[in-house]
């Protein structure tokens, strides 16, 4: 079956053979001279092909062979009768030439010849219809486009090709498909037989190899005892001949193994060079980490002292027991006061006559001086009891607050603060794009003492907020990340939301000042998350919308960019000839490095990075490496603080100078985060948050199952396998399984299990799950809980969002090319 362009006369010679520079492609086989056997048969076939010609028959030609000699219209007075008779004769001829066939179900199959005749007669009858001839002809032409294809096939043999309608093409394709399926099954059977034969051959080769080893051992034994086997010389010669053949085989194997050894030696040399480069880059970092590891015990002592400064459960129980005793004493005192008041009421008119007799010993125990009159003494007792009642109420409030703060922190979530100002009654934290600008300080409604409220926001009274600028907020966020890293050296501080409470209350229970700072920080964080990428990352991690590993991934990205800049060639010298403080880089080289570092980002995001780079350094064409490093270093990976340093404990506490009157905030006192870091971190967290939202949407569409445990698995129960399958459509099967296992608290083999803040990222950050890992079949989880677990415990970001290794390799190759 061919298409029409393959059968065009201008593309072939008179005998249907393709032309090539006025010579047939069959010319090499058409030479003269006698031939025998297959050569003579081939020559005869070539000669027959050269004398043959193609016969291409379109649908109209096929129809004309049936309708050319039918009855003319001049024999009939009625055109309708002529058309009816001509159609009947044409269909009767078609039945004789190509009978109608039926399917196995009895349905009539379409006939190619009857179709061609019907189209031909439709055109002829259209010409007889007067004013409707043009319309009918156009309808006939449009139907032909949908009925006939541009495929031709030889159904009668030889070089005669007929145009095929689409149903004929479809039938041929179905037959070809069935033939190919049969051929595939036969090929599979042959492949299976060949594999069995290969297995048998391998077994024979193993047997021959074992026989060869035995023969080699026997030859060695015979050579050792050559003096004793002189009598059997012929046998020894035969064995020597066999030994020479085996020696040839061994020599070939030796040469092959020698080539393999050379290849392995080259690979080993390459690995040694790579190891030397990595060792040079990480030597300083390893030394710092070793120093931090050696000083961990001293840091543990500081952490223990810090833990002892907080209220232990025993103190809480003792305080609760004291409160119960005080309450019982208060009830007895109040009952006694009521009795005394009742007696005083009855004897009020007789106070000047009758003098009561107080118990002077019990009154003296409370440091109450007796007066001249009994009424004066009663008033002093009432004042003392009132003070006792006030102290008791205060103790009860502190006990309730302590009981609430001793409750474990809830899962990270976003809380909406309700504010009260002089200008407006109530508005939510999302309602403003900046800090409060009212005439007076904003006041926040308390979130209460419920266990679902974050510990840093548990307070029973209204809180007056403190105004925090964006630069001060960025400084607090950076200081808090460092404080969390310092605390993690000796102990785990739980989630970032829990760490906020410990950061502002390092010595124990919260008070009014620390609560005011917590509420102000929470409100400012939610406000500036819209304008600062640094604060936004902290806000998303603190509220559980993304994993804390996202912040670590940001620092890895910035540190990778710093390492990449060290690999770029300097304008005033080679890459390794100058120290960092003297090296000057070209802005275009830095822009190209950014493009190589983010190979998968769209061009408009790379353009924004380049524009931010030029704005950072005032549009200059060159930039000093130490200036770039000072911008990037505060946001990269930091060396863990030494546990023996006196300032380690202070790092885990809030410092008032961060928001003091002379504080400007920002990174290292530079007045805020620069445009380069802002765009760099914003694009990274945008990618992470976008993919996290897609993951949450995908998990929300997971089909639920009927829970037979009466709501034990929540309101939206679903099987774990279904969750992995739904998540795999977005992340891939391997990353989806790693994320689900990490979310459920299982280890995936890379340290991303429960209790850590590592990631189940996939190919570039670990978290791959091997084929031998079997997901728990039939396990049911709540979709809401699973979504929160996945977002909090797994780093969900696009695979290959930045490529540090590839970018550094590109920089080194470019440097080598420039040197060459």
């Amino acid at each position: 079956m061919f298409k029409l362009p393959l059968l065009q006369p201008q593309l072939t010679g008179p005998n249907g053979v393709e032309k090539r520079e006025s010579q047939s492609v069959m010319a090499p086989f058409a030479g003269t001279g006698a031939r025998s056997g297959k050569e003579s048969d081939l020559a005869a076939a070539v000669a027959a092909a050269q004398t043959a010609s193609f016969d291409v028959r379109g649908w109209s030609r096929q129809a004309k062979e049936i309708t050319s000699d039918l009855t003319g219209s001049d024999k009939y007075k009625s055109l309708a009768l002529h058309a009816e008779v001509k159609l009947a004769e044409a269909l009767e001829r078609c039945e004789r030439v190509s009978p109608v066939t039926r399917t196995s179900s009895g349905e009539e199959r379409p006939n190619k010849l009857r179709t061609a005749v019907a189209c031909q007669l439709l055109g002829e009858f259209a010409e007889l219809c007067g004013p409707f001839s043009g319309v009918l002809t156009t309808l006939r032409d449009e139907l032909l486009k949908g009925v006939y294809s541009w495929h031709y096939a030889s159904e009668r043999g030889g070089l005669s090709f007929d145009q095929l309608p689409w149903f004929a093409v479809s039938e041929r394709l179905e037959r070809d498909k069935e033939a190919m399926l049969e051929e595939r099954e036969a090929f599979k059977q042959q492949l299976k037989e060949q594999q069995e034969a290969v297995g048998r051959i391998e077994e024979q080769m193993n047997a021959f190899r074992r026989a060869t080893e035995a023969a080699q051992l026997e030859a060695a034994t015979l050579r050792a005892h050559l003096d004793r086997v002189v009598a059997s010389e012929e046998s020894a010669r035969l064995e020597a001949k066999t030994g020479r053949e085996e020696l040839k085989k061994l020599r070939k194997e030796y040469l092959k193994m020698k080539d393999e050894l050379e290849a392995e030696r080259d690979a080993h040399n390459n690995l040694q060079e790579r190891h030397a480069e990595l060792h040079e880059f990480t030597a300083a970092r390893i030394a710092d980490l070793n120093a931090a590891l050696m000083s961990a015990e001293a840091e543990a002592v500081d952490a223990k002292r810090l833990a002892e400064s907080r209220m232990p459960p025993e103190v809480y129980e003792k305080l609760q027991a004291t409160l119960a005793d005080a309450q019982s004493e208060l009830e007895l005192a109040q009952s006694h006061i009521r009795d005394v008041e009742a007696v005083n009421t009855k004897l009020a008119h007789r106070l000047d006559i009758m003098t009561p007799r107080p118990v002077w010993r019990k009154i003296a125990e409370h440091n109450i001086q007796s007066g001249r009159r009994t009424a004066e003494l009663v008033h002093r007792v009432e004042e003392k009891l009132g003070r006792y009642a006030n102290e008791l109420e205060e103790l009860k409030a502190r006990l309730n607050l302590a009981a609430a703060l001793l409750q474990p922190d809830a899962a990270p979530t976003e809380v909406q603060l309700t504010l009260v100002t002089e200008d407006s009654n109530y508005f939510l934290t999302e309602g403003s794009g900046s800090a409060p600008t009212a005439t007076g300080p904003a006041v926040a409604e308390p979130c209460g003492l419920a266990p679902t409220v974050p510990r840093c926001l548990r307070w029973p009274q209204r809180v007056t907020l403190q105004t925090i600028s964006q630069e001060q907020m960025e400084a607090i966020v950076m200081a808090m990340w460092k404080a969390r890293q310092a605390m993690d050296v000796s102990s785990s501080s739980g989630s970032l939301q829990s760490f906020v409470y410990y950061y502002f209350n390092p010595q124990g229970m919260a008070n009014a000042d620390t609560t005011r700072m917590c509420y102000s920080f929470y409100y400012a964080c939610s406000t500036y998350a819209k304008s600062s990428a640094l604060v936004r990352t902290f806000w998303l991690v603190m509220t559980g919308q993304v994993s804390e590993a996202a912040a670590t991934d940001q620092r890895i990205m910035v540190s990778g960019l710093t390492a990449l800049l060290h690999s770029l060639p300097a304008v005033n010298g080679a890459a390794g000839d100058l120290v960092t403080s003297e090296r000057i880089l070209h802005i275009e080289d830095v822009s190209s490095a950014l493009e190589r570092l983010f190979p998968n980002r769209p061009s408009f995001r790379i353009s924004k990075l380049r524009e931010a780079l030029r704005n950072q350094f005032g549009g200059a064409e060159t930039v000093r490496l130490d200036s770039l490093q000072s911008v990037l270093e505060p946001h990269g990976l930091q060396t863990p603080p030494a546990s023996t340093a006196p300032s380690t404990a202070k790092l885990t506490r809030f410092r008032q100078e961060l928001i003091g009157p002379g504080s400007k905030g920002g990174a290292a006192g530079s007045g805020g985060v620069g445009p380069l870091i802002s765009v760099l971190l914003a694009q990274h967290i945008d990618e992470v948050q976008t993919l996290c939202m897609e993951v949450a949407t995908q998990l929300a569409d997971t089909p639920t199952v009927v829970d037979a445990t009466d709501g034990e698995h929540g309101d939206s129960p679903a099987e774990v396998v279904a969750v992995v399958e739904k998540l795999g459509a977005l992340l891939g099967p391997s990353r989806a399984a790693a994320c689900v296992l990490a979310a459920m608290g299982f280890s995936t083999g890379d340290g991303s299990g429960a209790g850590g803040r590592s990631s189940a990222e996939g190919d570039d950050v670990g978290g791959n799950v091997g084929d031998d890992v079997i997901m728990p079949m039939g396990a049911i989880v709540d979709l809401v809980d699973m979504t929160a677990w996945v977002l909090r415990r797994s780093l969900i970001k696009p695979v290959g969002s930045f490529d540090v290794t590839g970018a550094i390799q590109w920089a080194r190759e470019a440097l080598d090319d420039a040197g060459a």
Side-chain angles (χ1 to χ4, degrees), residues 132-388:
F132 296 99
S133 61
V135 176
L136 294 176
T137 302
T138 303
L139 293 175
R140 190 274 312 267
D141 294 339
E142 293 299 325
L143 291 175
L144 282 174
K145 295 178 183 178
V147 172
Y148 276 92
S149 67
W150 292 100
H151 293 274
Y152 290 75
S154 176
E155 295 185 350
R156 296 177 295 177
L159 299 178
S160 178
F161 295 86
D162 295 338
Q163 187 177 8
L164 300 179
W166 285 111
F167 61 80
V169 173
S170 176
E171 292 175 355
R172 284 176 172 269
L173 292 177
E174 287 293 334
R175 292 196 296 270
D176 293 343
K177 176 184 176 183
E178 294 176 358
M180 292 176 68
L181 289 176
E182 294 176 358
E183 187 178 39
R184 186 179 71 173
E185 294 299 326
F187 178 77
K188 287 183 177 180
Q189 184 63 26
Q190 292 178 3
L191 180 62
K192 183 178 180 180
E193 294 175 358
Q194 292 295 332
Q195 289 176 348
E196 294 176 355
V198 169
R200 293 193 297 270
I201 292 174
E202 289 179 351
E203 292 178 359
Q204 293 178 0
M205 290 180 62
N206 293 331
F208 290 155
R209 188 177 293 107
R210 291 192 295 269
T212 301
E213 294 174 355
Q216 292 174 354
L217 180 61
E218 185 178 358
T221 305
L222 291 175
R223 283 194 297 271
H225 299 82
L226 183 61
D227 295 337
R228 293 181 298 175
V229 293
V230 176
S232 56
E233 185 177 357
E234 292 297 329
S235 177
R237 288 179 180 178
L238 293 176
E239 293 175 355
K241 182 178 180 180
T242 304
R244 284 193 297 271
E245 294 177 354
E246 295 295 334
L247 183 60
K248 292 179 181 179
K249 296 180 180 178
L250 291 174
R251 184 178 289 110
K252 293 180 180 179
E253 294 179 359
Y254 167 75
L255 294 176
K256 181 179 179 181
M257 295 177 65
K258 184 177 180 181
D259 294 338
E260 294 177 352
L261 180 61
E262 291 295 332
E264 292 179 358
R265 185 178 289 110
D266 294 339
H268 178 68
N269 293 335
N270 295 334
L271 289 176
Q272 284 182 337
E273 295 175 359
R274 180 63 177 168
H275 171 72
E277 294 175 357
L278 293 176
H279 180 74
E280 181 181 356
F281 180 76
T282 58
R285 184 60 55 82
I286 292 176
D288 295 337
L289 293 176
N290 287 334
L293 181 62
M294 294 174 61
S295 59
E297 291 184 344
E299 184 66 17
V301 174
D302 295 338
K304 183 177 179 181
R305 187 184 305 110
L306 181 63
E308 290 175 355
S309 63
R310 298 187 176 95
M311 180 181 294
E314 294 79 5
V315 177
Y316 166 72
E317 294 176 357
K318 183 178 180 180
L319 183 60
Q320 192 173 17
T322 304
L323 177 62
D325 296 339
Q327 286 179 340
S328 60
E329 292 179 1
L330 177 62
E331 292 176 356
L332 292 174
Q334 290 177 346
S335 176
H336 180 69
I337 290 174
R338 287 193 295 269
D339 296 340
V340 171
E341 289 179 350
V343 173
N344 289 339
T345 302
K346 294 179 180 180
L347 301 178
H349 64 284
R350 300 171 61 185
L351 281 178
D352 295 334
I353 303 173
M354 299 183 64
T355 302
R357 298 182 178 273
V359 182
W360 299 104
R361 178 177 56 82
K362 292 186 177 182
I363 293 177
E365 291 177 358
H366 296 279
N367 297 324
I368 298 176
Q369 299 295 330
S370 59
R372 296 180 179 180
R373 298 173 61 87
T374 305
E376 183 180 351
L377 180 60
V378 170
H379 289 311
R380 292 180 181 179
V381 171
E382 289 178 349
E383 291 176 359
K384 192 69 173 181
L385 290 177
R387 290 194 295 270
Y388 283 165

Side-chain angles (χ1 to χ4, degrees), residues 43 56 118 207 340 428 444 448 549 586 642 659 675 710 819:
V56 180
V340 171
L428 302 180
H586 204 282
I659 57 174
D710 296 332

